[in-house]
Amino acid sequence: MIEILDPGPQTTVQDLGRFGQLRYGIPPSGPVDGFAFVLANRLVGNPDGAAGLECTLVGPRFEVGASCAVAVAGADMPVTVNGREAPGWTTLVLGPGDVVKLGPARSGVRSYVAFSGGLECPLVMGSRSTYLRGQLGGLEGRALRKGDRLRIAAAAPPPRWRVARRAVPDYTGEPTVRVVLGPQADRFTKEGIGALLESAYAMLPQSDRMGARLSGARITHSRGHDIISDGIALGSIQVPGDGQPIVLLVDRQSTGGYTKIATVCSFDVGRVGQVRPGQSLRFRAVTVHEARRLLCLADAVLEAGLREEIA
Amino acid sequence: MSVRFLPAGDLAVLVEFDEEISVEVNTRVRALEFLIQQKGLPGIAETVPTFRSLLVYYDPRAVGYDALCASIAELLPQATTAVLPPSRLVELPCCYDDPELGFDLAAAAHRLGLSTAELVRLHSRAEYLVYFIGFTPGLPYMTGMPERLTIPRLETPRTKTPAGSVGIGGTQCCIYSVESPGGFWILGRTPVRLYDPGAPDPILLRPGDRVRFRAADRGEYDRIAARAEARAYVPVIT
């Protein structure tokens, strides 16, 4: 059992997501940054899909009711256990009554807390992920509040691990994320595509789990900005009439009628979700075939050499 | 009809049939989706049908882009109405005659040059086809509205339209599945929930369903709404 003492601005229960429901208008939800989420789970000996917490900009403060292992990964939020500093990207062993606090993120946006055994809440359409707009899944389909209690499934204590320093992502600076052009790249001018690929775009504060709203050089359409509504893939870069791109994330609408110039590759979507308001990013185009190769590389980075056992 | 395969990142491909909205094109989209499900093509994660395209999510670790497109292309000649199973007819009670629920009925009738009774009769006599479900959970995109009811969308969209509101705009009829902004003229409201996040099966309508509205008075609306609230109401589906 954990009890939420202070929820932070938006802390939700997430697992890897709710799949197969997009044809009914229900997005997958799940962690915006799957890389950090999966590593947090692996650090406490969980399967990749065990339910944990996604914390946004400022983390929660919570008390654990029984011995368990916890790991925090993702945005660099200062972690304390009973007021004493504790490392991120590391297995933390806790006892009953221990209080964990995640402070405001020094870099990145979203941090993940995994608990050995995983959080228990009802499966809704096969998933424990929270979809806030649809009031679905997680704890009553909402963000956590003060006084909420969540059960943790029983699990044997895991070995203690930490992620090798070289493998901890750097969320500062101006990242370049890889995109595949299309499906409607032919609805943009050459200058419009040039703007997307050659200039920096700043993250706007109204971004959320549905979409990352960006601001920068205007992306010009060649034949209007409306299309006959069609499906919206993870990472789709939608460009409405104002020429400013929106990268659609895990809580996206399933379909829509704006042109989509390109799609951020799945392995870089999490990085978009770690760009803070005011920070900027750039886009670089790759082919579908390059993207597949890069995805396998990203899988290998996750698998190999990320963890070292603590002696 | 020349079908185009358009990449949508590394996890999806958009199979685009045409640049028009029609029952013929949409039927081919749904038939292709049905064939993909039935044949269990390897590596396909899920599919999203829309008016004239099918978005196919896949796992590139299991199947490459070219092989995937080739296996989908092979199914295209069979993707016709003949392969689709019989569709369901869903009857939705709708309360038109209470201005609290159908708040634009009188104004829409005036705009269309019809009496409210004629507008209700035309709207509830038609049979609608669900092209696809999208945008918000459980929201049907439908065709089949009588041409006589074509009406420009509201000049100032509403910021909030209650769930269950039945509206018309352009050549479309729409049912709001969750409270949302919108520019449709609201003729009435159905007490049936198209999306109920607490129900074991939260979504009522499916792509390819046919929908009919049955005029219900406020008393019946309230009785059905109370049963829907208790998850004790099942609409007539044949």
Side-chain angles (χ1 to χ4, degrees):
Chain A
M1 178 83 82
I2 65 164
E3 180 175 342
I4 303 296
L5 304 175
D6 178 355
Q10 185 180 288
T11 300
T12 56
V13 176
Q14 301 293 343
D15 61 10
L16 275 182
R18 182 174 287 107
F19 296 96
Q21 307 300 328
L22 278 162
R23 74 190 295 271
Y24 303 112
I26 298 180
S29 304
V32 173
D33 184 353
F35 179 84
F37 178 84
V38 166
L39 273 181
N41 264 331
R42 291 186 182 183
L43 284 167
V44 296
N46 282 349
D48 291 351
L53 299 178
E54 181 180 89
C55 319
T56 319
L57 290 168
V58 183
R61 191 164 60 91
F62 60 87
E63 184 178 325
V64 300
S67 298
C68 65
V70 162
V72 178
D76 181 19
M77 297 185 183
V79 182
T80 61
V81 177
N82 302 327
R84 292 177 55 184
E85 234 178 276
W89 305 90
T90 302
T91 315
L92 305 174
V93 178
L94 304 181
D98 282 352
V99 173
V100 178
K101 180 173 185 278
L102 278 68
R106 293 175 286 223
S107 68
V109 175
R110 296 171 171 99
S111 203
Y112 298 90
V113 188
F115 302 85
S116 53
L119 295 175
E120 280 192 335
C121 55
L123 280 172
V124 179
M125 300 173 116
S127 165
R128 297 184 169 87
S129 285
T130 311
Y131 168 37
L132 289 172
R133 275 192 176 75
Q135 301 174 321
L136 192 75
L139 187 68
E140 299 166 0
R142 59 170 173 79
L144 298 185
R145 296 177 191 147
K146 186 180 163 145
D148 280 343
R149 288 164 174 230
L150 290 156
R151 290 168 52 93
I152 305 176
R160 291 169 61 217
W161 298 91
R162 68 173 155 244
V163 171
R165 183 166 297 194
R166 65 188 147 75
V168 172
D170 176 8
Y171 300 125
T172 63
E174 190 180 79
T176 295
V177 302
R178 277 73 55 95
V179 304
V180 175
L181 288 175
Q184 282 106 30
D186 61 346
R187 303 283 303 236
F188 292 85
T189 61
K190 205 172 148 237
E191 294 72 28
I193 293 173
L196 177 79
L197 299 177
E198 283 151 33
S199 46
Y201 286 88
M203 186 67 62
L204 293 173
Q206 55 268 47
S207 301
D208 59 13
R209 288 173 45 83
M210 187 176 185
R213 291 175 173 272
L214 303 171
S215 160
R218 189 189 171 104
I219 299 168
T220 45
H221 297 82
S222 56
R223 284 185 287 146
H225 51 77
D226 288 343
I227 52 162
I228 298 172
S229 283
D230 64 9
I232 298 179
L234 176 66
S236 273
I237 307 176
Q238 176 178 279
V239 186
D242 63 4
Q244 301 298 308
I246 304 168
V247 181
L248 291 153
L249 303 175
V250 290
D251 278 3
R252 66 192 177 279
Q253 62 277 35
S254 59
T255 65
Y258 290 122
T259 42
K260 298 172 286 294
I261 187 169
T263 314
V264 175
C265 294
S266 58
F267 45 85
D268 277 346
V269 166
R271 190 64 191 86
V272 174
Q274 296 290 14
V275 175
R276 296 172 66 89
Q279 206 182 338
S280 51
L281 55 75
R282 287 174 179 273
F283 298 102
R284 183 165 75 77
V286 297
T287 64
V288 174
H289 300 97
E290 282 175 282
R292 188 191 194 196
R293 193 178 55 78
L294 291 166
L295 173 67
C296 294
L297 271 177
D299 283 352
V301 169
L302 190 63
E303 290 304 325
L306 281 185
R307 300 179 301 172
E308 52 191 32
E309 198 155 3
I310 300 170
Chain B
M1 205 181 296
S2 70
V3 176
R4 297 200 297 165
F5 290 84
L6 305 167
D10 59 330
L11 301 188
V13 57
L14 186 70
V15 186
E16 189 180 277
F17 282 78
D18 215 325
E19 293 246 9
E20 65 165 46
I21 299 177
S22 71
V23 174
E24 292 69 31
V25 174
N26 177 255
T27 300
R28 293 201 64 198
V29 171
R30 288 185 290 106
L32 178 64
E33 182 188 42
F34 181 75
L35 286 170
I36 286 173
Q37 285 168 358
Q38 212 183 28
K39 309 266 178 194
L41 289 193
I44 291 184
E46 57 183 302
T47 48
V48 184
T50 46
F51 290 113
R52 46 81 194 228
S53 64
L54 185 69
L55 185 61
V56 179
Y57 287 84
Y58 67 102
D59 180 357
R61 299 167 188 93
V63 61
Y65 181 80
D66 296 329
L68 175 79
C69 293
S71 64
I72 294 171
E74 263 179 50
L75 297 177
L76 286 172
Q78 304 161 59
T80 64
T81 185
V83 301
L84 284 169
S87 66
R88 312 187 307 170
L89 176 63
V90 181
E91 184 190 88
L92 295 177
C94 178
C95 179
Y96 294 97
D97 65 359
D98 187 325
E100 197 194 320
L101 306 178
F103 31 79
D104 297 322
L105 181 73
H110 180 75
R111 178 72 174 253
L112 291 167
L114 295 166
S115 70
T116 55
E118 282 170 318
L119 173 52
V120 169
R121 195 176 56 82
L122 284 169
H123 187 262
S124 61
R125 205 178 55 180
E127 185 176 287
Y128 301 86
L129 169 72
V130 178
Y131 276 140
F132 67 97
I133 304 289
F135 195 65
T136 62
L139 185 144
Y141 282 73
M142 302 188 295
T143 184
M145 194 170 80
E147 245 173 70
R148 181 71 182 81
L149 302 190
T150 301
I151 188 168
R153 296 210 185 177
L154 295 177
E155 271 157 39
T156 313
R158 252 181 213 97
T159 51
K160 278 184 177 182
T161 314
S165 292
V166 175
I168 59 173
T171 59
Q172 306 261 320
C173 169
C174 153
I175 315 169
Y176 288 77
S177 64
V178 295
E179 181 183 276
S180 26
F184 282 67
W185 302 71
I186 304 306
L187 307 186
R189 197 184 303 174
T190 177
V192 178
R193 296 179 172 199
L194 301 193
Y195 172 62
D196 182 356
D201 187 2
I203 302 290
L204 175 66
L205 296 173
R206 303 173 192 164
D209 279 350
R210 289 166 297 133
V211 171
R212 269 182 180 280
F213 297 99
R214 178 175 60 75
D217 63 20
R218 182 62 195 252
E220 188 187 1
Y221 173 93
D222 287 336
R223 284 192 298 280
I224 295 174
R227 287 169 64 199
E229 174 81 24
R231 304 208 173 93
Y233 181 80
V234 183
V236 179
I237 301 178
T238 49

